[in-house]
Amino acid sequence: MRAGKLTDHPLWVISLMNDGGVIFADGIEQDFIAFDCGRRVHLSPALAIFQLTPDRTSETLQCKVES
């Protein structure tokens, strides 16, 4: 599976790849979860949205969570 769109229903996937399987969502290949044979993953839409925004008045990030 290369890509997909999640709906209201969760998706369960079990890896059948001997080795080299990975999961990544942001397009950065170095930032991945190993997904080799026998590993399972449960995917579903998030219950809340988490956003990091730069605080222009300082050198910090502010967190914002929307449910």
Side-chain angles (χ1 to χ4, degrees):
M1 182 181 302
R2 293 194 183 277
K5 183 175 181 177
L6 294 173
T7 63
D8 294 335
H9 304 287
L11 174 66
W12 286 91
V13 181
I14 300 173
S15 177
L16 300 177
M17 295 183 69
N18 288 333
D19 64 17
V22 296
I23 297 173
F24 65 97
D26 55 8
I28 300 173
E29 292 185 32
Q30 295 84 1
D31 183 19
F32 68 90
I33 300 170
F35 193 56
D36 297 327
C37 190
R39 290 200 176 201
R40 298 177 294 185
V41 66
H42 171 239
L43 304 167
S44 63
L47 298 176
I49 297 170
F50 181 76
Q51 295 178 326
L52 288 176
T53 56
D55 180 352
R56 302 280 184 222
T57 61
S58 67
E59 295 181 11
T60 62
L61 292 175
Q62 293 185 354
C63 301
K64 179 180 177 184
V65 178
E66 298 175 10
S67 10

